[in-house]
Amino acid sequence: MKPPSFWNRPPSRPGLLSSLLLPAAAIWASVTRRQLREGPRERLGVPVIAVGNVNLGGTGKTPTVMALVKILQDMDVQAHVVSRGYGGSIDGPHRVNDRRDMATQVGDEPLLLSAFAPVWVAKNRAEGAKAARDAGADVIILDDGLQNAALHHDLTVTVFDAKVGFGNGRVCPAGPLREPVNDALGRTDILLGIGRQEDVDTVLRDWPALRNFPLLSGHLEPLSTGFAWSGVRAYAFAGIGRPQKFFESLRAAGVQLVQTRAFDDHEPYTLAILRRMQAEAWTKDCHLVTTEKDAARIPPDMRAEILTFPVRLTVSQDDILKTMLDGLLRRA
């Protein structure tokens, strides 16, 4: 569902409604602290890299996981990804097969990631990680793992969307956060701000404590596939954490947006909705265009009829990240 507008107010002016919700937010934060404090933090004998965020919703975790997989593969390291499989019906542990599994079974993000690395979905992520280890993983990447206390984290990467930062800085329902920022920073090894450098700098002004950590910046770039996007007339749709970011990326690539439609994050696409949008696009002489993550939720027999706009994360100071990964592997 669309978050309330006061969540995006600056921390210095969070709003009256936010203040009225502070008692409920305090309960949320207290429950999260207790769960994290009492977690078993089991060690598996192989390094575990947790990738997560403080905000509810998407901030760029999936592109970050993809970037980490690529770096580790270049280092000749076999990385397996473990996910809760949000939106999927399978309890697991289950190794995702991108040719056989559906998003309704394993979730859209695991299905997308499985094209790049072995991916395991498990409601109990400790059991999923053990299955990955037993299958030969040199490193386990725990997707959306910042608030998961089942496993010991050898390296934690906290991702934030530089455009929205941490909103009004308060915990849900008073704000957009899963837990207080300082709590999350206490378990963070490296920060990654995704977006323009000037937006990263704005977040730093609001949250000076971030300067105490290695802080990388990254941006999403269209993947070069040989397809010329400039001038394409598009009906763009997306059901991700912030669809507007996808629409902005299309405009930056020279796409002419004739119409846009935003869905809820992870929202299933029915054949009826897709056919309706397809008919609307046909009457307006434009193509249906969506994200890779959304494409994973489209019925296979329709995917060829919809253009996918793939992007990849480029990390500006990736040498810092590579050095930390190298140190982690040497210790292991």
Side-chain angles (χ1 to χ4, degrees):
M1 300 189 307
K2 186 176 181 180
S5 59
F6 67 83
W7 279 14
N8 293 320
R9 292 174 64 93
S12 58
R13 294 182 289 106
L16 175 61
L17 186 52
S18 173
S19 297
L20 293 174
L21 292 169
L22 280 177
I27 294 172
W28 179 303
S30 177
V31 170
T32 302
R33 284 194 187 105
R34 185 174 68 250
Q35 290 174 339
L36 291 169
R37 183 175 61 249
E38 296 175 355
R41 300 287 179 184
E42 187 174 356
R43 293 177 182 268
L44 298 182
V46 296
V48 173
I49 301 172
V51 177
N53 61 341
V54 188
N55 299 53
L56 292 163
T59 56
K61 295 186 299 294
T62 301
T64 301
V65 171
M66 291 167 65
L68 282 169
V69 165
K70 178 64 167 60
I71 292 172
L72 289 166
Q73 287 175 343
D74 290 344
M75 298 169 70
D76 199 25
V77 174
Q78 174 73 284
H80 286 216
V81 179
V82 175
S83 170
R84 183 163 59 96
Y86 183 87
S89 60
I90 293 178
D91 289 335
H94 170 76
R95 182 166 174 171
V96 178
N97 185 317
D98 62 338
R99 295 184 178 182
R100 185 178 64 240
D101 293 331
M102 303 288 291
T104 53
Q105 298 171 308
V106 299
D108 51 10
E109 290 163 347
L111 196 59
L112 169 60
L113 290 167
S114 66
F116 303 89
V119 177
W120 298 80
V121 293
K123 305 306 181 191
N124 183 328
R125 278 185 276 186
E127 294 303 316
K130 290 175 184 175
R133 176 199 61 192
D134 295 344
D138 298 320
V139 173
I140 292 168
I141 300 177
L142 194 60
D143 184 30
D144 196 13
L146 181 60
Q147 286 81 27
N148 184 275
L151 297 168
H152 170 77
H153 302 164
D154 297 280
L155 181 70
T156 300
V157 181
T158 298
V159 185
F160 64 91
D161 184 334
K163 184 71 173 180
V164 299
F166 302 106
N168 65 8
R170 291 181 170 178
V171 173
C172 184
L177 305 184
R178 303 179 180 194
E179 61 177 321
V181 172
N182 287 336
D183 285 12
L185 292 180
R187 306 188 311 280
T188 295
D189 297 302
I190 188 167
L191 289 160
L192 174 60
I194 298 181
R196 301 181 306 170
Q197 185 60 51
E198 49 263 46
D199 291 328
V200 173
D201 293 339
T202 298
V203 177
L204 286 173
R205 286 196 295 270
D206 290 335
W207 302 93
L210 302 183
R211 299 183 184 275
N212 298 326
F213 296 83
L215 175 59
L216 311 182
S217 60
H219 61 279
L220 297 174
E221 294 183 342
L223 179 66
S224 178
T225 61
F227 183 82
W229 286 98
S230 182
V232 171
R233 289 170 53 83
Y235 181 150
F237 67 97
I240 56 177
R242 196 160 69 84
Q244 192 59 38
K245 181 165 61 175
F246 169 57
F247 303 148
E248 291 168 358
S249 296
L250 288 173
R251 290 191 183 97
V255 175
Q256 181 183 349
L257 292 185
V258 179
Q259 187 168 334
T260 62
R261 182 169 178 179
F263 292 85
D264 290 338
D265 196 10
H266 303 286
E267 182 174 345
Y269 293 120
T270 65
L271 196 59
I273 289 175
L274 292 168
R275 290 300 185 196
R276 190 178 307 123
M277 289 194 297
Q278 191 176 51
E280 292 172 358
W282 184 83
T283 61
K284 297 180 180 183
D285 190 28
C286 57
H287 298 277
L288 280 180
V289 182
T290 194
T291 71
E292 286 183 291
K293 177 179 164 181
D294 287 280
R297 303 200 302 280
I298 294 172
D301 58 344
M302 274 204 72
R303 288 177 193 165
E305 304 174 43
I306 299 171
L307 295 178
T308 301
F309 185 75
V311 295
R312 295 293 180 267
L313 178 66
T314 298
V315 180
S316 300
Q317 310 94 328
D318 63 347
D319 57 320
I320 298 175
L321 184 56
K322 290 175 182 177
T323 298
M324 296 187 76
L325 291 173
D326 185 64
L328 173 66
L329 295 169
R330 289 179 184 276
R331 291 193 300 274

